[in-house]
Amino acid sequence: MVPGCARLTIDLDAIAANYRLLRRQVAPAEMAGVVKADGYGLGAGRVAETLQNEGCRRLFIALLQEAIALRSTLPPDVAIYVLNGLMPGSEPDCAAHGIVPVLNSLDQLERWAACAAQSERVLPAALQVDTGMSRLGMPADEVDVLLADRSRLKGINVSLIMSHLACADHADDTFNGTQMRRFEAISAHFPGVARALDNSGGAFLGRPHFDVVRAGISLYGGAPNQGTNPVRPVVGLEAGIVQVRTVPAGTGVGYGLSFVTERESQIATVPVGYADGWPRSLGNRGSVYIAGTRVPIVGRVSMDSMTVDVTGLMADHLYAGAPVELIGPHQTIDRVACDAGTISYEILTQLSRRYERDYLPVRAEPPLRSVAP
Ligand SMILES: *Cc1c(COP(=O)(O)O)cnc(C)c1O
C-alpha cells in the first residue's frame, strides 16, 4: 500500500462469479450488465471486459459519452445501450459510434427515425415504456399513438423493449405485479422483440424474467432486496492509521466537539473523509474494524479524515499505518449504507478517485467435468 493512501480492492473474480450466479438465477433469460456511473464506481472498462469474458452481450449505461468511451474497448457483438436516451442533436454521434439508444419518448423516436432516413441506414434501438415509475420511457398515451401508427418505426430495428421496476427491492410489494402485467400487455404488441423488465431486485422476484435481465448492484456485491444477500462481496476498503492519541475524560473530538469522551480514551485518526465519498452522516454513527474488532466513529467525519475510538484495543494494532477495515469481511457496503442512511449504490458510486485501486483478477473456472454418455 502507498503509505497514507487508502486502498480499494475490487475483486473482478467476484464480479464474474456474481454474473454466473445471476445468469443461473434468471435462466433461460439472458443476463445483461449495467455499467452506468463508471461501473457503479468500480471502473466501467474493467467491469465490461470481465462481463464480456463471461459471455455477456448487452451492456447498459446512462449517457452517450459513457457509451462512446466504452465502445472501442469491446467487440462489435456486444451491444451498448444508452438508458437516458437521445438528447436532441446527439443522434449523429450515437449512430456513428454504433451505440444503441433507449428511446424514451415519441420525440426521441422521431429524431432517431429522421437520422436513419438521412443516413439511409437502418438504426438499432431499444424502446422503453413507462409502466408506472414516471421516470423514463414512453407514457401510456404515447404508446397508444405508436401502436396506432407503426410507420413511426420506419428505419429502426427495435432489438429490445424494456421498462423499469420502481419497487423491486421489496419483493412483496404488489406494485411489482402491476408493472409486470402492464409490461406483458404492451410488449405483446411487439412479437419477436426481446423483453427486459427486471433489474437485480427483479431477478429475485421468484417468477419468470421475460427475455433479458439488466442487473447492476448484484454484480457489484450489493444486496438485491431486503432479504439475505446471495452474491459475493466485490469491494474492500482499507486505510492505515495516521495518528493515535490518549485524551482524558471530558475531551471533545473533531469539528463542533460533537463527541465528548466519558473516560480516558484513545482516539485514532483514519485518513478517509467525506471528500473520499465516506459519508459525513457516519459521524458518531458508523464504525470501522481494526484487527477484527468493531471500533466506533466518534465526532464528525472531516473532509480527509475521521476519528475512531480505539480505547481498549491492544497497542500492537495501533501504530502509524496499522490497517483499518472500512469495507471488508466484517463490514459490507450495505452495512455502511444503512449506518449512513443511504443505499449501497451511493456508497459505491462515491468511492474516491484518491484511493489506490487494486483489481483482483478473474481466476480460471475449473473445467466442466464431462458427463459420461
Ligand atoms: C440502474 C438500472 C438498472 C440496474 O439496477 P440494479 O438495481 O442496480 O440492478 C437496470 N435498469 C435500469 C433502467 C436502470 O436505470
Side-chain angles (χ1 to χ4, degrees), residues 10-364:
I10 298 163
D11 186 348
L12 297 174
D13 191 60
I15 293 179
N18 292 342
Y19 179 81
R20 294 191 294 266
L21 181 145
L22 284 156
R23 188 169 52 197
R24 285 193 299 275
Q25 171 69 23
V26 306
E30 173 190 333
M31 259 303 293
V34 180
V35 293
K36 61 198 185 195
D38 197 25
Y40 288 42
L42 304 185
R46 301 300 296 265
V47 173
E49 181 192 15
T50 304
L51 296 179
Q52 185 237 321
N53 286 336
E54 295 302 322
C56 178
R57 288 296 171 267
R58 298 183 210 243
L59 295 172
F60 291 83
I61 209 159
L63 306 176
L64 180 59
Q65 64 264 36
E66 294 179 306
I68 291 173
L70 207 53
R71 183 63 277 179
S72 63
T73 70
L74 293 165
D77 68 330
V78 178
I80 305 179
Y81 295 85
V82 173
L83 289 166
N84 283 8
L86 278 174
M87 292 304 287
S90 66
E91 298 83 5
D93 252 5
C94 190
H97 286 92
I99 308 293
V100 189
V102 174
L103 302 176
N104 288 309
S105 67
L106 284 178
D107 178 55
Q108 291 186 7
L109 169 59
E110 190 177 319
R111 285 187 275 107
W112 194 230
C115 182
Q118 211 154 41
S119 55
E120 297 180 347
R121 285 172 59 195
V122 172
L123 293 176
L127 283 185
Q128 175 154 228
V129 295
D130 179 12
T131 52
M133 188 168 170
S134 313
R135 186 182 68 170
L136 286 167
M138 290 184 194
D141 57 333
E142 291 200 3
V143 174
D144 289 343
V145 172
L146 176 60
L147 292 178
D149 178 12
R150 301 267 181 153
S151 71
R152 288 168 181 267
L153 290 167
K154 189 164 178 288
I156 296 179
N157 171 27
V158 179
S159 63
L160 190 76
I161 180 161
M162 59 174 273
S163 190
H164 192 48
L165 295 170
C167 307
D169 54 334
H170 286 86
D172 50 7
D173 195 309
T174 55
F175 201 62
N176 292 318
T178 303
Q179 285 193 274
M180 183 194 71
R181 285 186 293 277
R182 289 177 184 167
F183 185 64
E184 262 175 344
I186 298 169
S187 60
H189 293 286
F190 297 87
V193 176
R195 299 159 300 169
L197 177 64
D198 293 334
N199 62 346
S200 299
F204 293 92
L205 285 178
R207 52 148 174 78
H209 302 284
F210 296 97
D211 304 304
V212 178
V213 172
R214 309 177 304 268
I217 196 68
S218 288
L219 294 173
Y220 306 110
N225 56 36
Q226 311 292 311
T228 51
N229 188 354
V231 299
R232 252 170 73 182
V234 169
V235 166
L237 179 60
E238 190 182 287
I241 291 176
V242 172
Q243 192 178 13
V244 183
R245 77 193 64 245
T246 303
V247 296
T251 305
V253 178
Y255 284 119
L257 311 178
S258 67
F259 179 81
V260 178
T261 57
E262 287 178 351
R263 51 177 181 180
E264 181 180 281
S265 301
Q266 281 193 294
I267 305 295
T269 303
V270 179
V272 171
Y274 63 78
D276 297 302
W278 190 250
R280 191 167 173 276
S281 56
L282 288 174
N284 292 317
R285 275 173 72 182
S287 24
V288 299
Y289 283 78
I290 295 177
T293 301
R294 186 182 164 278
V295 170
I297 298 170
V298 292
R300 291 190 190 147
V301 172
S302 299
M303 183 185 291
D304 309 294
S305 62
M306 62 177 158
T307 35
V308 300
D309 186 346
V310 295
T311 312
L313 243 64
M314 292 210 310
D316 51 358
H317 301 312
L318 298 177
Y319 53 94
V324 179
E325 174 192 329
L326 286 81
I327 299 169
H330 300 93
Q331 176 149 279
T332 64
I333 51 174
D334 285 290
R335 177 77 251 164
V336 173
C338 180
D339 286 349
T342 183
I343 52 176
S344 58
Y345 302 67
E346 193 174 30
I347 299 299
L348 289 180
T349 54
Q350 298 305 309
L351 288 167
S352 182
R353 307 280 128 199
R354 291 197 290 198
Y355 299 147
E356 179 190 338
R357 285 181 173 227
D358 188 9
Y359 285 92
L360 306 184
V362 178
R363 292 187 290 274

